Amino acid sequence: MSNARDYDLIIIGSGPAGMAAALLADRSGLSVLMLDDQPGAGGQVYRQIGPNSRNAKTFGFLGEEYFRGGDLAGKLEASGVDCIHQAHVWQITEDNEVFYSRKGAAASIRADFILMASGAQERPMPIPGWTLPGVMTVGAAQTLLKMSATGADGAVFIGTGPLFYLTIWQYLRAGFGVKAVLDTATAIPPAGAFRWILPALLQAGILAKGWAWRAEVRKRTSYQNGVRGVSLSGDGKLEKISFIDRLGKEREIKAGHAFLHQGVIPNVNLGMAAGLDYRWDEGQLCWRPVLDQHGQSSRKTVFVAGDGGGIAGASVAVTSGQLAAARIIRLGGKTPRGLPAFLRLRHWLNKAPRPFLDAMFRPPTDWIVPEDEKVIVCRCEGLTRGEIDQAAKMGVAGPNQLKSYCRAGMGRCQARMCGITVQHILAEHSGRPVRDLDYFRLRPPIRPVTVGELAMLAENDGQAI
């Protein structure tokens, strides 16, 4: 690893977008540094891909798509890309200096270009009881499988979406029992989804795979679709799940573990804190950065690739990373090497099914904004829907003014868990669409940094850690 130097390109995140971009940039002669949160390359999609590729036990349940990441990770390891893992980036300055913390120390490194490939997060689901012990996200369930081949036997899965079906399918293949699956999607896609069916059929194989996962889940579990009105309850931990089935009947299931999922959204905190322009995406119900076809942001030397630029899946992440890297290479005065001439076409084809999937698995409103005023919305500050309603009734103009009334969004996660919900609540009170409301004003550091880490900056001036 190089020290005390600037780079042509710093890539933040080592998922499919980051790895694909790094390999192309490295082959084309750019000096590249990759900073990543995790102990090894792969991101969430290919988490623990290195060890798992050498573990025959995982072959039977993680699926062939997962192990495709092994090729990217292997090439990255053999490349000239400098990688710093367990590096938590918390600021990007206007002159492209990247600050990060690692193992109790902090450092900064500068680059001519920055590619943010920091991925997505699961959409928070503020339903009654979602903060109870025993309740986790489907992403967490999948992380358990990938990290240690473990899981919660007899859990109930609640939600919908491609990752939802894939993870249940992986759980079943791994030998774990699934007590029930409560699917919020209906058996037949909503009418609005069918206007996107023709482009989606360009990737018929992907759709067929999703249907196969769902069919196996239906066959091997107690499966119900069209579920609504889900409520989780218990005395200090999850004990009971109540819901209304598709026939309108109230039902209950006793369970100690539940996994929730209602799709994923771009992780916006680093990009917003770096001053990138964002716009509201009504199709995916989230904020996404304003990008050109190469992933170039409103800051001309900062690019975004992968799900951080809009949710589209691993194959699109790879081509978006390559498109961004190709543009950066040309701006650096060099010619991309090994870039397929049809890359842009392949990128478009990979994205083709996405509008259909977005329409098919669009989350219901009561999964974004709880109807019960006692449900906690801001987990960091312990604020309920009712308390935010009371502050909103005072006539606050937006989320940033709301902070001074009730501290919503001011906790450790900096609105990562409550931001979208708070905006919808304020939209209800103001009668304005969500897109017309400002988002929380995010400032660096985007994650907690200790005084000791800051003190280490002077000692590590220009030195990677």
Side-chain angles (χ1 to χ4, degrees), residues 24 27-30 326 329-330 332-339:
L24 181 57
R27 283 201 304 268
S28 303
L30 268 61
I329 293 163
R330 292 191 186 281
K334 299 184 179 182
T335 302
R337 296 184 60 190
L339 180 67

Side-chain angles (χ1 to χ4, degrees), residues 1-2 61 64 85 99 102 116 176 209 230 251 257 259 270 274 279 288 291 296 318 323 332 382 391 434 465:
M1 184 181 71
S2 302
F61 61 83
E64 61 179 301
H85 293 290
F99 289 80
R102 183 172 185 266
M116 294 172 49
F176 292 102
K209 188 161 292 183
V230 177
R251 304 187 64 172
H257 294 93
F259 295 117
L270 183 60
R279 65 175 172 81
R288 59 192 297 177
L291 306 173
Q296 191 172 31
V318 168
L323 283 170
V434 175
I465 56 174

Side-chain angles (χ1 to χ4, degrees), residues 281-296:
D281 185 328
E282 190 60 34
Q284 297 192 342
L285 294 176
C286 65
W287 291 92
R288 59 192 297 177
V290 178
L291 306 173
D292 71 4
Q293 60 182 330
H294 305 284
Q296 191 172 31

Side-chain angles (χ1 to χ4, degrees), residues 28 62 71 118 308 377 390 395 405 441:
S28 303
L62 289 179
D71 181 53
S118 42
V377 171
Q390 289 301 315
Y405 283 82
R441 190 176 301 113

Side-chain angles (χ1 to χ4, degrees), residues 35 98 132 170 173 177 248 265 274 355 384 402 423 425 459:
L35 299 172
V98 179
L132 281 171
Q170 291 173 328
R173 291 292 177 107
I265 56 177
T384 64
L402 184 71
Q423 278 203 301
I425 293 173
E459 291 185 26

Side-chain angles (χ1 to χ4, degrees), residues 217-296:
V217 168
R218 291 183 64 136
K219 182 179 179 182
R220 297 181 58 185
T221 67
S222 173
Y223 174 89
Q224 301 211 33
N225 59 26
V227 166
R228 56 193 173 88
V230 177
S231 176
L232 314 174
S233 59
D235 185 10
K237 63 180 181 179
L238 176 65
E239 295 174 346
K240 185 175 69 177
I241 301 166
S242 307
F243 62 97
I244 300 172
D245 68 16
R246 65 180 182 278
L247 301 177
K249 183 179 179 181
E250 294 184 0
R251 304 187 64 172
E252 291 182 358
I253 297 175
K254 294 189 183 303
H257 294 93
F259 295 117
L260 309 180
H261 182 75
Q262 202 62 241
V264 293
I265 56 177
N267 191 337
V268 302
N269 285 37
L270 183 60
M272 284 192 174
L276 308 191
D277 289 342
Y278 276 74
R279 65 175 172 81
W280 179 255
D281 185 328
E282 190 60 34
Q284 297 192 342
L285 294 176
C286 65
W287 291 92
R288 59 192 297 177
V290 178
L291 306 173
D292 71 4
Q293 60 182 330
H294 305 284
Q296 191 172 31

Side-chain angles (χ1 to χ4, degrees), residues 120-421:
Q121 64 169 76
E122 285 186 87
R123 184 189 302 279
M125 288 175 52
I127 61 175
W130 72 308
T131 58
L132 281 171
V135 182
M136 300 169 67
T137 66
V138 162
Q142 194 184 56
T143 297
L144 287 172
L145 280 180
K146 292 177 178 176
M147 293 298 291
S148 54
T150 60
D153 210 22
V156 176
F157 285 75
I158 308 167
T160 196
L163 179 62
F164 181 74
Y165 302 129
L166 170 61
T167 305
I168 302 170
W169 178 87
Q170 291 173 328
Y171 250 59
L172 293 170
R173 291 292 177 107
F176 292 102
V178 174
K179 188 162 190 175
V181 174
L182 305 182
D183 191 343
T184 57
T186 54
I188 301 174
F194 285 100
R195 64 182 173 133
W196 302 108
I197 191 64
L198 289 179
L201 288 174
L202 293 172
Q203 294 287 344
I206 291 177
L207 298 183
K209 188 161 292 183
W211 287 115
W213 291 336
R214 188 173 177 175
E216 185 166 338
V217 168
R218 291 183 64 136
K219 182 179 179 182
R220 297 181 58 185
T221 67
S222 173
Y223 174 89
Q224 301 211 33
N225 59 26
V227 166
R228 56 193 173 88
V230 177
S231 176
L232 314 174
S233 59
D235 185 10
K237 63 180 181 179
L238 176 65
E239 295 174 346
K240 185 175 69 177
I241 301 166
S242 307
F243 62 97
I244 300 172
D245 68 16
R246 65 180 182 278
L247 301 177
K249 183 179 179 181
E250 294 184 0
R251 304 187 64 172
E252 291 182 358
I253 297 175
K254 294 189 183 303
H257 294 93
F259 295 117
L260 309 180
H261 182 75
Q262 202 62 241
V264 293
I265 56 177
N267 191 337
V268 302
N269 285 37
L270 183 60
M272 284 192 174
L276 308 191
D277 289 342
Y278 276 74
R279 65 175 172 81
W280 179 255
D281 185 328
E282 190 60 34
Q284 297 192 342
L285 294 176
C286 65
W287 291 92
R288 59 192 297 177
V290 178
L291 306 173
D292 71 4
Q293 60 182 330
H294 305 284
Q296 191 172 31
S297 74
S298 54
R299 279 182 56 181
K300 300 306 178 187
T301 56
V302 178
F303 289 67
V304 181
D307 281 347
I311 306 305
S315 60
V316 177
V318 168
T319 50
S320 70
Q322 291 170 326
L323 283 170
R327 182 64 173 166
I328 291 168
I329 293 163
R330 292 191 186 281
L331 290 173
K334 299 184 179 182
T335 302
R337 296 184 60 190
L339 180 67
F342 56 89
L343 176 59
R344 196 165 292 114
L345 174 61
R346 193 170 67 187
H347 182 65
W348 180 82
L349 286 172
N350 288 342
K351 291 173 63 175
R354 198 65 226 181
F356 175 75
L357 296 175
D358 290 340
M360 184 171 175
F361 299 117
R362 189 177 179 85
T365 302
D366 64 337
W367 288 70
I368 297 175
V369 180
E371 295 176 351
D372 185 343
E373 65 177 14
K374 295 178 181 176
V375 174
I376 288 178
V377 171
C378 176
R379 298 179 69 135
C380 297
E381 299 294 334
L383 290 169
T384 64
R385 158 84 201 241
E387 290 170 320
I388 295 174
D389 277 336
Q390 289 301 315
K393 288 176 182 174
M394 297 179 190
V396 298
N400 295 300
Q401 190 182 12
L402 184 71
K403 289 179 180 178
S404 59
Y405 283 82
C406 65
R407 292 188 55 82
M410 293 185 70
R412 186 182 180 94
C413 84
Q414 294 201 17
R416 203 166 58 86
M417 297 298 289
C418 70
I420 297 288
T421 302

